[in-house]
């Protein structure tokens, strides 16, 4: 199994720069690259990565996507003077040439291909290439929007040719504003789904207003991108990584804070057996860009994912866009076959366009002055924000209890710790659990207590323990965590949960995944019974995790996640592994897993998911039946007002404007 994260950076790509005054192009500066690299150095991330040198992309490689005419024009600029460069640049929309531009653009292409090679050859698990000029706006026969050669498109064609990869699924979210925002292309709207055999493989999610935040981007992943990606089952994921959506960016004018990129990266790492190539595109607020790049690389390295901030409720406009994308793609995707989707024509943001059209020029000038002042404010905000979310990492990533025999079946990086003895347990619990369990039974939970205690004290990030009774262990773990001072503890219990805790104070949220309805307690805001039996032919649990469990969990924002597997479990190893891997994005990756079943393969798979070093196999994708889709929809309808990340259509009811 490949390990390590590649980082590609070549200082020569900073020599591409604007030689004259151009208010449109002056934000695409060399410091975008150099300051991002310095930020990585300041977090000591550069030395943790595997350095991979850039190389020039060959003409043949560039011609995989671009025309010979375009290549020759770019090549001819190497010997031009400033006036000639300026004249050629005016032939394109928002692009500038420098004598070094052609060389830098070839390095950017080559860096992307080097990264693909390193990942596909198994030299590294994943990686990031810091490149410029960026590439995503460039066309077959023209430079456009700061971009000369389309680095990611070339990388995709190269991967198909060299490694025999088959089809491509393309997903893009972008500022659109009903075609009012540059480049104002009709084919960037939600109904541009691809042509011919490619229908359904071109996914556009247009943002029709500015100010989109963390919850909007997460909702797009939960309700569009991730279910499509899991059904598509890619062999490689290439990210055209634009950070224009970051807070303070003058182009995107969105409000995503840097940690959301850690969460999005974490989700993408669960695809393609972890083969993930991130290639820099946009991002024009230097501080916001640098911090966001660092969050991406930290996650690629396997660091705990920081707690997400902001209200967990997508805005009305975001949900409208999500609903239209789902409706447009329903004919092409099995996961959407039984979903109740319909197109929305009267969008809430249409009225904003009328106001914008009636605004006078002086208002626009004042807006520019405000933006300049905001740059300073955003820098100050980010300084404090990053200190608040980047907490010290526990010295041990993943812990388990056991003897030397256990060491042979747990994956690398799992550290074994000694169980608590009678004296230690008594000192810890002090009779607090007398109403739950007799003393002699409590003492059998030494394995569970030592792992949980180390997680609560932040000596360990996450861990796994075997228990004679998972229900008892889960009940004790929940109460012990609340007693320790945690305000929100999520428990996902797989199997028959004989002991259901009191969740009325909101300090615990329990999701019980079981084959049959649990008669002891009806579902309420903080206790949810999800009746589900995994399909025998493959994994159909994706729809439940992505369509319900993950949105509820992100809405709740737990300080700790407890995952317990008890008797009569209705999920196989692949479904449980999927659950653990995706929930590791919450609570700073603090997960306590307690397993009643001592099946070695189950323990191994959960431990691998906790370590995060390798993506566990999730099994063959099976689309959910109509009955199961209706079951998820009924739960979504029941709980969407409490857990607002469940909202994926306008009729669901929205609270945030």
């Amino acid at each position: 199994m490949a390990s390590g994260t590649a980082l590609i950076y070549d200082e020569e790509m900073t020599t591409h720069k604007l030689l004259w005054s151009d208010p449109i192009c002056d934000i695409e500066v060399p410091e975008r690259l150099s300051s991002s690299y310095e930020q990585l150095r300041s977090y000591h991330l550069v030395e943790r990565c595997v350095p991979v040198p850039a190389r020039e992309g060959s003409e043949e490689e560039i011609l995989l996507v671009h025309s010979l005419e375009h290549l020759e024009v770019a090549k001819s600029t190497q010997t031009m003077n400033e006036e000639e460069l300026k004249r050629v640049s005016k032939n394109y929309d928002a692009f500038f040439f420098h004598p070094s531009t052609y060389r830098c653009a070839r390095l950017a292409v080559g860096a992307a291909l080097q990264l693909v090679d390193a990942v596909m050859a198994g030299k590294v698990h994943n990686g990031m290439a810091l490149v410029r000029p960026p590439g995503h706006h460039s066309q077959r026969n023209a430079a456009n929007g700061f971009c000369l050669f389309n680095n990611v498109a070339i990388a995709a064609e190269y991967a198909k040719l060299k490694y025999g990869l088959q089809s491509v699924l393309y997903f893009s979210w972008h500022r659109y504003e009903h075609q009012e925002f540059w480049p104002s292309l009709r084919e960037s709207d939600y109904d541009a789904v691809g042509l011919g055999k490619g229908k359904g493989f071109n996914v556009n999610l247009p943002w029709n207003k500015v100010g989109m935040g963390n919850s909007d981007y997460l909702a797009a992943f939960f309700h569009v991108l991730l279910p499509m990606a899991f059904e598509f089952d890619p062999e490689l994921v290439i990210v055209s990584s634009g950070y224009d959506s970051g807070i303070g960016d003058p182009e995107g004018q969105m409000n995503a804070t840097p940690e959301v990129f850690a969460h999005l990266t974490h989700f993408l790492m669960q695809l393609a057996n972890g083969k993930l190539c991130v290639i820099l595109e946009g991002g024009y607020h230097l501080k916001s860009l640098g911090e966001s790049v660092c969050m991406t690389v930290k996650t690629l390295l396997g660091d705990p994912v920081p707690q997400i901030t902001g209200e967990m409720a997508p805005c009305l406009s975001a949900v409208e866009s999500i609903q239209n994308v789902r409706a447009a793609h329903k004919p092409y995707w099995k996961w959407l076959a039984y979903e109740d989707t319909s197109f929305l024509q009267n969008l809430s943001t249409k009225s904003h366009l009328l106001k914008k059209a009636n605004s006078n020029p002086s208002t626009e000038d004042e807006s520019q002055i405000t933006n300049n002042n905001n740059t300073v404010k955003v820098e100050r905000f980010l300084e404090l924000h990053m200190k608040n979310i980047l907490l010290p990492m526990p010295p041990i990533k993943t812990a388990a209890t056991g003897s030397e025999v256990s060491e042979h079946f747990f994956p690398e990086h799992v550290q074994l710790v000694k169980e608590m003895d009678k004296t230690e347990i008594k000192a810890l619990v002090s009779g607090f659990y007398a109403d739950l369990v007799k003393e002699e039974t409590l003492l059998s939970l030494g394995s569970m207590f030592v792992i949980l205690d180390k997680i609560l004290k932040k000596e360990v990030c996450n861990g796994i323990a075997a228990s004679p009774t998972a229900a008892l262990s889960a009940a004790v773990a929940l109460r012990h965590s609340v007693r320790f001072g945690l305000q929100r503890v999520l428990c996902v219990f797989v199997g028959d949960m004989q002991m259901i805790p009191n969740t009325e104070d909101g300090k615990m949220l329990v999701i019980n995944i079981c084959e049959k309805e649990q008669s002891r307690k009806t579902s309420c805001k903080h206790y949810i019974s999800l009746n589900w039996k995994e399909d025998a032919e493959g994994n159909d649990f994706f729809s439940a995790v992505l369509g319900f469990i993950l949105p509820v969990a992100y809405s709740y924002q737990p300080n700790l996640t407890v995952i317990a597997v008890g008797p009569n479990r209705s999920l196989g190893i692949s479904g449980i592994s999927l659950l653990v891997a995706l929930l590791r994005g919450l609570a700073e990756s603090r997960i306590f897993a307690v397993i009643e079943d001592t099946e070695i393969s189950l323990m191994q798979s959960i431990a691998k998911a906790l370590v995060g070093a390798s993506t566990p196999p999730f099994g063959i994708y099976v689309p959910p039946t109509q009955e199961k889709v209706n079951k998820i929809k009924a739960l979504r309808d029941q709980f969407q007002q409490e857990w607002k990340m469940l909202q994926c259509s306008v009729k669901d009811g929205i609270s945030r404007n």
Side-chain angles (χ1 to χ4, degrees):
M1 176 63 66
S3 63
T5 294
L7 180 64
I8 303 180
Y9 171 78
D10 191 319
E11 192 176 357
E12 189 173 350
M13 282 184 269
T14 63
T15 60
H16 163 67
K17 58 186 176 183
L18 182 64
L19 295 174
W20 53 88
S21 176
D22 184 333
I24 294 174
C25 291
D26 62 8
I27 58 173
E28 208 293 281
V29 294
E31 290 78 13
R32 293 182 55 247
L33 223 57
S34 55
S35 66
S36 295
Y37 188 73
E38 286 306 311
Q39 193 68 50
L40 288 168
R41 289 174 69 95
S42 72
Y43 282 125
H44 304 288
L45 297 174
V46 172
E47 55 262 41
R48 294 175 57 196
C49 293
V50 178
V52 174
R55 67 166 174 87
E56 281 194 348
S58 69
E59 292 187 4
E60 292 77 11
E61 289 162 345
I62 293 167
L63 292 173
L64 289 173
V65 166
H66 294 284
S67 69
L68 180 60
E69 179 188 356
H70 180 52
L71 178 68
E72 291 299 329
V73 170
K75 193 191 301 186
S76 70
T77 61
Q78 296 175 94
T79 56
M80 289 183 179
N81 61 36
E82 184 175 326
E83 282 305 310
E84 291 170 325
L85 291 168
K86 194 172 183 179
R87 190 161 53 248
V88 173
S89 299
K90 284 183 178 178
N91 293 330
Y92 304 106
D93 188 0
F95 188 79
F96 61 89
F97 277 104
H98 180 277
S100 70
T101 297
Y102 177 67
R103 159 79 175 164
C104 291
R106 284 185 64 172
L107 282 173
V109 169
L113 304 188
Q114 286 282 82
L115 183 54
V116 167
D117 281 336
V119 169
M120 291 303 295
K123 294 177 182 176
V124 294
H125 199 50
N126 54 45
M128 183 168 193
L130 297 178
V131 302
R132 62 181 292 275
H136 60 293
H137 284 303
S138 61
Q139 300 164 350
R140 175 173 172 74
N141 201 37
N144 192 36
F146 312 150
C147 304
L148 183 57
F149 300 138
N150 200 316
N151 309 314
V152 167
I154 295 169
E157 286 298 318
Y158 176 86
K160 285 168 64 181
L161 280 172
K162 185 168 182 178
Y163 298 101
L165 308 188
Q166 299 301 311
S167 56
V168 174
L169 169 63
Y170 172 80
F171 176 89
S172 173
W173 55 27
H174 38 263
R175 181 178 172 186
Y176 190 63
E177 295 180 88
H178 304 285
Q179 207 178 329
E180 290 292 315
F181 184 71
W182 186 94
S184 304
L185 301 175
R186 176 67 188 84
E187 56 264 42
S188 297
D189 210 351
Y190 64 85
D191 53 358
V193 298
L195 301 171
K197 292 181 180 178
K199 279 188 176 179
F201 291 93
N202 185 63
V203 187
N204 285 295
L205 179 59
W207 290 145
N208 286 316
K209 63 175 241 182
V210 297
M212 296 296 182
N214 295 345
S215 58
D216 303 305
Y217 290 98
L218 289 170
F221 259 56
F222 297 156
H223 301 302
V224 179
L225 175 60
L226 287 177
M228 274 185 185
F230 275 112
E231 181 176 333
F232 181 66
D233 192 20
E235 298 165 283
L236 173 67
V237 178
I238 305 176
V239 182
S240 184
S241 195
Y243 295 95
D244 320 43
S245 47
I247 189 168
D249 192 277
E251 278 292 286
Q253 294 187 30
M254 302 298 174
N255 285 327
T257 50
E259 75 274 11
V260 80
F261 298 105
H263 288 260
L264 304 182
T265 302
H266 168 73
F267 294 140
L268 295 176
M269 288 169 70
Q270 313 313 317
L271 299 164
N273 198 28
K275 292 185 175 71
L276 178 60
C277 298
V278 180
I279 298 164
L280 180 64
E281 296 284 2
Y284 306 99
H285 184 289
L286 296 184
K287 178 66 173 173
S288 184
L289 170 64
E291 295 291 359
S292 300
V293 165
C294 288
M295 288 296 96
T296 302
V297 173
K298 277 175 69 67
T299 308
L300 292 173
L301 285 163
D303 286 0
V305 182
Q307 193 91 0
I308 196 83
T309 59
E311 182 187 1
M312 286 293 105
C315 71
L316 174 58
S317 180
V319 177
E320 289 173 339
S321 291
I322 288 168
Q323 180 173 339
N324 277 337
V325 172
R326 286 162 64 102
H329 284 271
K330 183 174 181 175
Y332 312 107
W333 293 93
K334 294 175 182 176
W335 70 276
L336 282 168
Y338 300 117
E339 288 283 354
D340 180 17
T341 57
S342 58
F343 288 106
L344 289 169
Q345 300 300 331
N346 299 316
L347 302 181
S348 63
T349 43
K350 286 288 180 74
S351 60
H352 293 298
L353 289 180
L354 294 175
K355 291 178 184 176
K356 187 175 179 181
N358 294 330
S359 63
N360 58 53
S362 64
T363 305
E364 297 295 324
D365 293 339
E366 288 168 14
S367 175
Q368 184 60 47
I369 294 168
T370 304
N371 284 340
N372 292 336
N373 291 337
N374 278 345
T375 299
V376 178
K377 289 180 182 177
V378 169
E379 286 180 4
R380 290 173 183 161
F381 163 77
L382 285 171
E383 287 287 348
L384 181 60
H385 180 73
M386 299 313 293
K387 287 177 183 176
N388 289 337
I389 66 166
L390 288 180
L391 304 175
M393 285 193 295
I396 299 173
K397 186 172 187 178
T398 304
T401 56
S403 61
E404 291 180 5
V405 178
S406 310
E407 197 171 353
H408 299 297
F409 68 77
F410 276 128
E412 189 182 359
H413 307 304
V414 173
Q415 186 161 328
L416 297 181
V417 294
K418 185 182 176 183
E419 291 186 21
M420 286 185 175
D421 59 27
K422 286 184 180 182
T423 307
E424 290 173 307
I425 294 174
K426 283 184 176 180
L428 182 69
V429 302
S430 306
F432 188 71
Y433 307 102
D435 63 321
L436 274 180
V437 61
K438 295 177 182 177
E439 184 179 300
E440 58 268 24
T441 309
L442 189 63
L443 296 178
S444 71
L445 304 180
S447 172
M448 180 275 286
F449 266 120
V450 69
I451 300 294
L452 178 61
D453 193 53
K454 288 181 179 295
I455 292 173
L456 293 174
K457 292 176 178 175
K458 298 194 175 182
E459 297 170 8
V460 165
C461 184
N462 55 50
I464 183 170
S467 169
T469 53
L472 172 62
S473 293
V476 172
L478 288 170
R479 184 182 290 189
H480 189 65
S481 301
V482 170
R483 184 185 176 217
F484 187 83
L486 300 190
Q487 295 299 305
R488 296 179 307 281
V489 184
L490 170 66
C491 175
V492 181
F493 194 101
V494 182
D496 292 344
M497 192 176 189
Q498 296 95 341
M499 303 178 68
I500 299 175
N502 185 338
T503 61
E504 290 178 5
D505 63 0
K507 292 185 177 181
M508 305 174 195
L509 168 61
V510 176
I511 301 175
N512 186 191
I513 304 164
C514 49
E515 187 173 348
K516 297 177 182 177
E517 185 76 39
Q518 297 286 291
S519 59
R520 288 175 293 280
K521 185 178 174 74
T522 56
S523 288
C524 59
K525 181 177 180 180
H526 290 96
Y527 172 79
I528 301 170
S529 180
L530 172 58
N531 310 130
W532 196 278
K533 183 169 175 60
E534 201 169 67
D535 192 289
E537 296 181 8
N539 194 344
D540 65 352
F541 191 51
F542 294 98
S543 57
V545 176
L546 302 174
F548 186 77
I549 296 173
L550 215 52
V552 169
Y554 266 82
S555 299
Y556 186 58
Q557 282 299 298
N559 310 120
L560 171 70
T561 302
V562 175
I563 299 176
V565 181
N568 303 318
R569 59 182 168 93
S570 56
L571 297 181
I573 292 175
S574 62
I576 295 171
S577 300
L578 174 69
L579 191 64
V580 175
L582 290 171
L583 289 177
R584 205 170 60 83
L586 287 160
E588 300 170 63
S589 301
R590 295 167 82 190
I591 291 182
F592 172 55
V594 57
I595 316 299
E596 184 169 322
D597 189 343
T598 55
E599 182 184 344
I600 289 177
S601 55
L602 175 61
M603 296 282 284
Q604 285 177 322
S605 186
I606 291 175
K608 285 179 180 178
L610 289 174
V611 169
S614 60
T615 308
F618 294 142
I620 299 167
Y621 174 86
V622 175
T625 62
Q626 185 166 3
E627 180 188 1
K628 286 183 173 177
V629 171
N630 290 342
K631 193 176 292 184
I632 294 298
K633 183 181 181 302
L635 283 171
R636 215 159 47 207
D637 290 345
Q638 182 180 353
F639 291 107
Q640 64 200 352
Q641 291 302 324
E642 287 87 1
W643 309 122
K644 297 186 186 303
M645 291 303 294
L646 288 169
Q647 296 163 352
C648 58
S649 64
V650 169
K651 62 180 176 294
D652 288 346
I654 305 298
S655 64
R656 191 166 75 87
N657 291 321

